[in-house]
Amino acid sequence: FLVVAAIGVFFFVMLKVIPEFARALSGFMEKMDPQARMIFGLSQFIQDHVDLILGGIGVVLVGGLLLSRSRAFIGLLLRMLARLPGTGRIVQYQQTVFFCSTLGTLLGSGVDITSSLRLVRDLFRDPYTAQKVDQVIAEVRQGHRVSDALANLHLLPDYVIPILRVGEEAGELDTMAVRIGGFYEDRLDRALGRLTSILGPSILMLVSMMIAWLIITVITALISVNELLV
């Protein structure tokens, strides 16, 4: 929503506000500083090609919608987000919630461990992560514990594995997995809340600074022209 609002404000300034200044200063363009001429030129370009620009934005939006249905693209995007400092933990929390909550619920409903893991695998839109779950399934079929199969895959946080192992040894893997999923769901909600609280003001500040720069540059050009006339 904030991105759409920012684009809307930018186009409003470029199509409605800047042209008014351009008409008032039409005879003094050569005497203005390069920044002001650049802004007026950009505004004129947008006015002349507004249909083409809006069409390009529409193509990008449609392309983004189509790409969002591609497992390969989503997988690449998630892996990129997992490497970033601000979003890497969120991706890991989400994987933990998907894996543990679903596994615990299915086991508690009487579904066998192999079938439960297959259903868990189908939840992951990242093919690379799904392959890790396939490795877990293969090792479980060979008689290994789920916690042992997960130990070297870096699918879940390291301190989750010992907790799952305790649950397996006690015969309460389903209960322990549900508890872990609930714990990390709370952490995921808090992490998303913090990220939103940072991104929202940051985007608004960036848009405000951009609009302020446009207006100040144009007003400065207007003042300089008035000084030349005096």
Side-chain angles (χ1 to χ4, degrees):
F1 175 77
L2 288 174
V3 174
V4 174
I7 293 174
V9 171
F10 176 78
F11 273 94
F12 174 78
V13 171
M14 283 297 180
L15 294 174
K16 298 296 182 181
V17 178
I18 301 300
E20 295 297 326
F21 286 101
R23 281 191 286 271
L25 301 172
S26 58
F28 303 94
M29 289 294 178
E30 295 181 356
K31 299 179 181 180
M32 295 181 192
D33 62 90
Q35 286 190 8
R37 290 201 301 270
M38 180 189 69
I39 292 173
F40 287 126
L42 180 60
S43 175
Q44 187 62 49
F45 177 84
I46 293 175
Q47 292 177 69
D48 295 340
H49 302 88
V50 63
D51 294 336
L52 182 62
I53 293 172
L54 292 177
I57 293 175
V59 170
V60 170
L61 292 176
V62 172
L65 180 61
L66 294 176
L67 286 174
S68 67
R69 300 179 180 179
S70 168
R71 291 176 64 89
F73 175 78
I74 293 298
L76 177 61
L77 180 62
L78 288 175
R79 288 195 294 275
M80 290 175 60
L81 292 175
R83 296 177 180 274
L84 298 177
T87 56
R89 186 173 298 178
I90 291 176
V91 172
Q92 189 178 55
Y93 287 170
Q94 184 187 46
Q95 290 179 350
T96 305
V97 171
F98 280 173
F99 187 92
C100 292
S101 295
T102 307
L103 179 64
T105 301
L106 291 171
L107 292 176
S109 301
V111 182
D112 64 272
I113 183 65
T114 304
S115 299
S116 297
L117 287 170
R118 284 202 201 98
L119 293 171
V120 169
R121 175 197 58 197
D122 294 337
L123 282 178
F124 290 102
R125 302 185 66 185
D126 179 8
Y128 180 72
T129 305
Q131 288 177 4
K132 289 185 176 181
V133 181
D134 282 331
Q135 295 179 40
V136 175
I137 295 172
E139 292 195 28
V140 169
R141 282 177 173 174
Q142 296 173 5
H144 294 88
R145 292 178 177 179
V146 174
S147 56
D148 294 335
L150 288 167
N152 299 318
L153 293 180
H154 304 291
L155 177 64
L156 306 177
D158 292 337
Y159 30 85
V160 169
I161 308 302
I163 300 175
L164 289 176
R165 184 174 292 114
V166 170
E168 284 185 292
E169 292 173 352
E172 298 181 353
L173 178 60
D174 55 342
T175 303
M176 196 64 69
V178 169
R179 289 179 180 175
I180 294 172
F183 173 76
Y184 277 95
E185 187 173 4
D186 291 338
R187 299 193 70 174
L188 176 62
D189 290 340
R190 290 197 297 270
L192 288 173
R194 287 194 297 269
L195 181 63
T196 302
S197 65
I198 293 173
L199 283 180
S202 298
I203 293 176
L204 290 176
M205 185 178 298
L206 180 63
V207 172
S208 300
M209 291 175 61
M210 178 186 67
I211 301 302
W213 173 71
L214 292 174
I215 300 300
I216 291 173
T217 301
V218 173
I219 291 178
T220 302
L222 179 61
I223 293 174
S224 63
V225 169
N226 288 336
E227 290 177 351
L228 289 176
L229 292 176
V230 173

